[in-house]
């Protein structure tokens, strides 16, 4: 752990005291404060006006009851959240996560990360995050719809195209966004397309939004590899997860000449030495909504294909040149990082939010592994959400090629901005520092301009 200077240490102590027990939020704040030591040394004006303290305190936190009726006619209760973290750069923007692990600390860490990520995109979007401890696993379509409608029946009063624009995250995809948009439309009697992003194409969605996070992470890693004169061509890649981010990382990595040999879900991971068959993964995950072990059942034993149950091994034991953790927070531990380094990993691109533990990041950086933090590498998703808002505002619909070209340009500029900022602050190649500082400076400058509000 980096020793913080006295001032930053006391800011962190206060964050921990006021947000007791919210370990993921403490972790996310500590990482940013570790980078800010160099900022306050060079630009002491950023430590004035309680700017840093204000940035660590969400502007608004909403917690609400979500009652719904299951298929057995039983009344169920979940908890809903929306943390509107920072609106200095634009309306709050960030996804909704439906997962049983969700609590206020997790939503706060995600909202905090989102604020810096959104700043890095260069688009006019503030940071927020929300969700529920609802578990969509095994729920019927009717149950999902009733839950989404009930969730929106409270959330609608807090959002709007100029106020707060939610989207998807874990457990929330196109289907859920559709149900929530429908309920918002009914409650408000307004066809306000820009209130949610991640919509389907036929009612105001953007082409390339589904692919954007995975494609964007792949573009970012390709740029990092480029700084060392190499590329994805011929590289072995492990992508954890098998949701939206993982699937479209696989697609782009493959188009760049890399080979994805392992993917996972919460039940375990599959390895296919010949390269994971993406068509089959899409069928299992997007159509059947089944477990990843189906892959082995369909393909059959042997032929370099095997499945390892969760808890009986780590996907990071699979040797690779590039690791793209795209499942969830803290999924890649210090032990995993050691294994990856021992196996010769050259680059890591975080497709998920904060998937590597602080110890894992330290191990990668000390070993000279190129490391792309999520708030930079996975920003392509939210950047394309901002492009969706732009299309909605102008009642336009862009082609896939045009939208992907914008995404690629945004990712290249995030990469270059992080690298240049790391250079400027005396830590060449440190993308964590570069991302934290570049994101912070944009938000802080804007907050200062807007006065104490
Ligand atoms: N949930 C995604 C993220 O972590 C996307 C958010 C959005 O598109 O607003 O950035």
């Amino acid at each position: 752990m980096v020793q913080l200077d006295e001032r930053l240490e006391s800011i962190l102590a206060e964050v921990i005291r006021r947000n007791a027990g919210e370990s993921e939020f403490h972790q996310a704040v500590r990482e940013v404060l570790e980078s800010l030591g160099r900022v306050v040394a060079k630009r002491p004006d950023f430590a004035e006006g309680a700017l840093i303290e204000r940035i660590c305190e969400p502007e608004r936190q909403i917690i609400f009851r979500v009652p719904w009726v299951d298929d057995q006619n039983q009344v169920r209760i979940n908890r809903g959240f929306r943390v509107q973290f920072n609106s200095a750069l634009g309306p709050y923007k960030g996804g909704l996560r439906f997962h049983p692990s969700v609590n206020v600390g997790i939503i706060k860490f995600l909202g905090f990360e989102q604020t810096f990520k959104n700043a890095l995109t260069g688009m006019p979007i503030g940071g927020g995050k929300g969700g529920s401890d609802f578990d969509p696993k095994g729920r019927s379509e009717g149950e999902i719809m009733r839950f989404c409608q009930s969730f929106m029946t409270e959330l609608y009063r807090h959002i709007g195209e100029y106020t707060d624009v939610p989207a998807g995250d874990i457990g929330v995809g196109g289907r859920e966004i559709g149900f929530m948009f429908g309920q918002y439309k009914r409650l408000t009697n307004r066809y306000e397309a820009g209130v949610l992003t991640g919509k389907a194409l036929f009612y105001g969605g953007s082409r390339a939004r589904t692919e954007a996070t995975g494609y964007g992470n792949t573009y970012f890693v390709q740029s990092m590899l480029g700084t060392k004169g190499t590329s994805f061509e011929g590289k072995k890649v492990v992508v954890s997860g098998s949701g939206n981010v993982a699937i479209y990382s696989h697609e782009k990595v493959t188009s760049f000449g890399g080979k994805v040999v392992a993917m996972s879900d919460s039940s375990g991971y599959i390895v296919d030495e010949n390269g994971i068959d993406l068509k089959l993964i899409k069928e299992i995950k997007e159509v059947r909504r089944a477990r990843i072990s189906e892959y082995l059942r369909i393909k059959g034993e042997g032929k370099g294909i095997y499945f390892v149950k969760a808890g009986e091994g780590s996907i990071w034991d699979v040797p690779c040149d590039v690791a793209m953790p795209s499942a969830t927070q803290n999924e890649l531990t210090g032990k995993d990082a050691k294994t990856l380094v021992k196996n010769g990993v050259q680059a890591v691109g975080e497709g998920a939010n904060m998937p590597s533990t602080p110890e894992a990041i330290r191990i990668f950086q000390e070993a000279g592994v190129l490391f792309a933090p999520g708030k930079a590498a996975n920003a392509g998703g939210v950047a394309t959400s901002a492009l969706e808002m732009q299309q909605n505002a102008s009642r336009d619909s862009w082609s896939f090629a045009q939208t992907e070209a914008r995404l690629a340009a945004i990712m290249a500029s995030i990469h270059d901005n992080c690298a240049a900022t790391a250079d400027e602050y005396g830590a060449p190649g440190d993308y964590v520092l570069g991302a934290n500082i570049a994101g912070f400076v944009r938000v802080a400058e804007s907050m200062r301009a807007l006065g104490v509000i």
Side-chain angles (χ1 to χ4, degrees):
M1 251 190 233
V2 177
Q3 186 62 42
L4 294 176
D5 80 23
E6 216 176 294
R7 171 102 195 236
L8 295 170
E9 189 64 62
S10 83
I11 294 175
L12 180 64
E14 184 62 5
V15 165
I16 294 172
R17 190 188 67 75
R18 311 174 88 183
N19 302 277
E22 298 174 3
S23 60
E24 291 87 358
F25 181 48
H26 305 164
Q27 180 184 335
V29 171
R30 169 170 258 284
E31 187 206 284
V32 169
L33 294 183
E34 284 179 357
S35 300
L36 293 190
R38 289 181 196 244
V39 178
V40 286
K42 200 170 162 144
R43 294 275 309 269
D45 53 308
F46 278 126
E48 287 162 16
L51 259 179
I52 302 174
E53 288 87 335
R54 275 194 280 155
I55 256 181
C56 295
E57 179 70 13
E59 289 177 17
R60 188 177 294 115
Q61 305 179 52
I62 303 149
I63 303 183
F64 51 97
R65 181 171 72 195
V66 188
W68 56 284
V69 180
D70 71 15
D71 286 347
Q72 284 69 47
N73 258 327
Q74 296 295 310
V75 176
R76 302 265 183 166
I77 301 297
N78 284 100
R79 190 171 279 185
F81 303 91
R82 187 73 183 166
V83 173
Q84 299 179 328
F85 221 106
N86 194 298
S87 61
L89 294 173
Y92 309 106
K93 180 83 198 85
L96 298 169
R97 176 177 291 192
F98 291 170
H99 191 271
S101 66
V102 163
N103 57 43
V104 71
I106 288 186
I107 298 300
K108 233 183 260 176
F109 116 66
L110 289 164
F112 182 75
E113 290 276 299
Q114 197 82 45
T115 300
F116 300 98
K117 182 197 306 193
N118 294 4
L120 284 171
T121 65
M123 315 289 289
I125 42 178
K129 203 86 185 191
S132 174
D133 57 2
F134 171 70
D135 187 357
K137 220 172 275 147
R139 290 288 166 204
S140 69
E141 180 121 337
E143 290 176 318
I144 300 276
M145 183 176 76
R146 291 193 294 280
F147 177 81
C148 289
Q149 290 175 337
S150 180
F151 184 84
M152 187 51 86
T153 300
E154 172 59 33
L155 188 69
Y156 89 99
R157 63 186 94 248
H158 308 291
I159 63 175
E161 65 175 317
Y162 296 109
T163 313
D164 183 354
V165 183
D169 196 81
I170 295 171
V172 178
R175 176 180 63 172
E176 291 74 20
I177 292 293
F179 292 147
M180 287 191 274
F181 184 72
Q183 184 73 353
Y184 182 85
K185 185 173 80 63
R186 186 173 189 197
L187 287 165
T188 58
N189 193 31
R190 279 160 63 87
Y191 205 108
E192 190 186 329
V195 70
L196 291 175
T197 62
K199 302 180 293 296
L201 272 185
F202 38 82
Y203 69 93
S206 172
R207 291 188 177 78
R209 174 63 190 90
T210 313
E211 294 83 354
T213 315
Y215 279 19
N217 188 22
T218 311
Y219 280 123
F220 194 102
V221 173
Q222 181 84 332
S223 295
M224 280 202 310
L225 290 168
T227 65
K228 301 281 179 217
T230 177
S231 74
F232 269 107
E233 187 63 47
K235 298 248 181 332
K236 242 190 193 188
V237 182
V238 170
V239 182
S240 63
S242 48
N244 202 31
V245 183
I247 286 176
Y248 293 97
S249 300
H250 180 313
E251 192 164 285
K252 199 43 121 187
V253 164
T254 309
S255 82
F256 283 168
K259 185 161 83 173
V260 176
V261 294
M263 291 178 84
S264 63
D265 68 11
S266 57
S267 72
Y269 67 91
I270 42 150
V271 177
D272 186 339
E273 297 293 353
N274 309 307
I276 300 271
D277 175 347
L278 188 60
K279 233 177 113 209
L280 182 53
I281 292 285
K282 283 187 183 176
E283 164 72 23
I284 293 169
K285 287 294 166 184
E286 293 178 344
V287 183
R288 299 190 201 179
R289 297 179 188 270
R291 310 312 295 162
I292 207 158
S293 50
E294 280 286 287
Y295 188 94
L296 181 64
R297 206 184 53 75
I298 293 164
K299 289 263 181 190
E301 298 272 347
K303 298 175 268 181
I305 305 176
Y306 59 94
F307 172 72
V308 179
K309 253 206 210 142
E312 291 178 4
S314 163
I315 189 171
W316 309 115
D317 294 341
V318 180
C320 62
D321 305 305
V322 179
M324 301 173 86
S326 308
T328 195
Q329 68 270 2
N330 291 327
E331 56 163 304
L332 197 163
T333 64
K335 186 165 166 273
D336 294 325
K338 280 185 195 143
T339 311
L340 283 162
V341 168
K342 190 174 82 269
N343 289 336
V345 74
Q346 293 168 39
V348 179
E350 292 191 323
N353 291 312
M354 208 170 76
S356 311
T357 64
E359 192 196 356
I361 298 175
R362 189 179 48 75
I363 290 164
F364 288 136
Q365 291 189 325
E366 283 175 8
V369 173
L370 294 163
F371 179 81
K375 62 170 78 73
N378 73 36
V382 75
T384 308
S385 277
L387 300 179
E388 183 173 333
M389 291 163 73
Q390 205 173 318
Q391 291 169 76
N392 294 149
S394 58
R395 300 184 183 277
D396 199 357
S397 176
W398 307 344
S399 69
F400 194 97
Q402 185 188 353
T403 318
E404 195 189 347
R406 288 283 305 267
L407 167 66
I410 292 168
M411 293 316 297
S413 101
I414 298 175
H415 172 272
D416 296 352
N417 187 10
C418 292
T421 307
D423 285 347
E424 184 189 337
Y425 284 85
D430 186 341
Y431 289 91
V432 174
L433 193 110
N436 287 338
I437 296 183
F440 169 81
V441 167
R442 183 162 181 240
V443 178
E445 291 281 23
S446 179
M447 284 175 73
R448 187 155 49 190
L450 298 180
V452 178
I453 51 168

